[in-house]
Amino acid sequence: MTAPVLLCEAPTADARILTLNRPDKRNALSDELVGALLEAVEQARQDNVSMLVLRGNGRSFSAGFDLSDLDTVSQADLLWRFVRVQQLLTAIQAYPGLTIAQVQGRNFGAGCDLMAACTVREATSGARFRMPGVLFGLILGTRHLGTLIGQSQAKRLQLTTAEITAPEAKELGLITRVVDHDPTFDDSVATACARLTAH
């Protein structure tokens, strides 16, 4: 039986954890995964879930847009996949509750955009970030990235395709907190859940 590309957990009635589950592909955003995320985010919105947490199973949060079949898909299908990723980013940015991204490993392009769409962005100290889309003619989430870290810094990251560390990302405002190791993420969710319950 094939494992689902997205795992959904509800630790409390107020929280939902969505875990990208393509560890062998570093959680690259395939059309199937993007579709599952869109459905899960919309379901959480309909259920009035106060907190949405995004995680990645395995070594990385997300390697970005899935380019593995770039040579075999039609231009129309490729364009539709771009549109779907942008719809996902917009849905998370507009989510009425608290959104938290918890990130580890090396993350690229649309994976960084997915993280950036969240209100709270936590990363392990060893996490890395790179926006190489310009090399493929693919740039998503540009406007939001500019709003988040400034147009000049966003342009620099995208045009130089430089890889930055978690402390550098924190200094830029790309992430909001650096944690020592993955288990701290669970403590963070528990704390956020407790605060939501208290309010």
Side-chain angles (χ1 to χ4, degrees), residues 86 113 132-134 137-142 158-159:
Q86 188 59 59
D113 290 323
V134 69
L138 308 174
I139 298 182
L140 296 165
T142 302
Q158 290 173 329
L159 294 184

Side-chain angles (χ1 to χ4, degrees), residues 67-170:
L67 300 170
S68 61
D69 59 352
L70 197 60
D71 295 333
T72 60
V73 297
S74 69
Q75 289 293 321
D77 286 341
L78 193 58
L79 178 60
W80 173 240
R81 285 167 59 179
F82 294 158
V83 169
R84 296 260 285 172
V85 172
Q86 188 59 59
Q87 287 175 337
L88 173 61
L89 300 179
T90 300
I92 293 173
Q93 290 166 22
Y95 191 77
L98 176 65
T99 53
I100 303 174
Q102 298 184 320
V103 179
Q104 78 282 356
R106 299 185 71 198
N107 303 280
F108 301 90
C112 298
D113 290 323
L114 183 60
M115 173 196 73
C118 295
T119 306
V120 176
R121 303 168 302 279
E122 302 176 331
T124 59
S125 56
R128 298 290 186 272
F129 307 91
R130 187 170 177 236
M131 311 286 282
V134 69
L135 300 176
F136 305 95
L138 308 174
I139 298 182
L140 296 165
T142 302
R143 182 180 299 175
H144 181 68
L145 183 64
T147 301
L148 198 62
I149 67 173
Q151 297 294 338
S152 178
Q153 292 289 8
K155 186 175 181 179
R156 178 180 69 82
L157 286 183
Q158 290 173 329
L159 294 184
T160 64
T161 70
E163 184 174 82
I164 61 172
T165 64
E168 289 170 331
K170 171 71 165 57

